[in-house]
Amino acid sequence: SPNTIHPIFLLRSLQVARGKLKNGFAAVRPPGHHCECDSPLGFCFFNSVAVATRAVQRSTDNNVKKVLIVDWDVHHGNGTQHMFYEDESVMYVSLHRQDQGQFYPGGQCGDIDRVGGFHNPAARGTNLNIGFTSKVSQKAVERPTVANANKTEAARVARAGDGDRNGGTTSPQAPSDPLADPL
């Protein structure tokens, strides 16, 4: 149900953090990456990846304090970015269609210059947006702050797959995800 946090997502995250599983995967929809702290958005009522991240960090059954979230979707995960923008313990990486802020959720929050830590200098560089145009660029983005990702102790990947070439409406004529097209 889109109105609940997926218990398998949370369970797998905690099992990996506790060392009961080497790794885990939960194919759940939606990951909730559009949900803001104070309101649902973009069919997301709870931000499952944010809840799982905090649950792992606050669990007394593991030593995980730093987490990497990789959000790979045609849409930018504005909610997840906003939740961790000032938090130096979470590295957020978003690969998404940007089109100069004209693609949902729109605006500038998915721009590459949004690096985190506006108010908290310790969090600068913990936010990495890799926005593509509608014709996916082959150009690699390199920033020294990406090296910080290898210092994380846990990783979360939010892969929503909730859009297509028509801006989020599924059509049988088009592949379900333009980011999945061959380059």
Side-chain angles (χ1 to χ4, degrees):
S1 165
N3 296 321
T4 61
I5 296 169
H6 297 283
I8 192 70
F9 190 74
L10 185 56
L11 176 66
R12 290 290 179 258
S13 297
L14 290 169
Q15 287 174 324
V16 171
R18 293 175 181 148
K20 295 185 187 254
L21 292 175
K22 183 177 179 184
N23 55 50
F25 179 81
V28 297
R29 286 201 21 95
H33 67 166
H34 295 304
C35 182
E36 298 283 352
C37 289
D38 58 356
S39 65
L41 189 65
F43 305 107
C44 300
F45 295 92
F46 297 99
N47 194 319
S48 299
V49 81
V51 170
T53 296
R54 282 296 185 238
V56 166
Q57 287 180 317
R58 293 179 179 166
S59 174
T60 58
D61 295 339
N62 66 67
N63 293 321
V64 175
K65 300 301 173 220
K66 291 188 173 265
V67 176
L68 166 66
I69 298 173
V70 178
D71 188 335
W72 167 37
D73 184 59
V74 70
H75 302 117
H76 177 256
N78 54 294
T80 305
Q81 174 177 298
H82 293 150
M83 287 183 197
F84 297 111
Y85 202 73
E86 300 294 333
D87 186 342
E88 67 270 17
S89 73
V90 177
M91 173 84 183
Y92 176 71
V93 178
S94 177
L95 295 98
H96 58 275
R97 181 172 167 184
Q98 182 65 2
D99 288 341
Q100 293 77 42
Q102 300 301 308
F103 197 73
Y104 187 85
Q108 298 175 334
C109 69
D111 287 354
I112 195 161
D113 64 348
R114 300 303 195 256
V115 298
F118 183 76
H119 299 290
N120 177 12
R124 285 199 188 115
T126 61
N127 192 85
L128 174 61
N129 285 312
I130 303 170
F132 300 102
T133 62
S134 56
K135 296 186 188 259
V136 179
S137 172
Q138 294 183 21
K139 191 176 188 180
V141 177
E142 295 182 16
R143 286 201 345 221
T145 55
V146 174
N148 291 333
N150 69 355
K151 296 177 185 169
T152 59
E153 299 160 321
R156 303 285 163 264
V157 178
R159 173 65 181 99
D162 59 350
D164 69 358
R165 286 186 176 94
N166 299 319
T169 59
T170 304
S171 76
Q173 297 83 12
S176 62
D177 188 344
L179 293 181
D181 289 347
L183 295 177

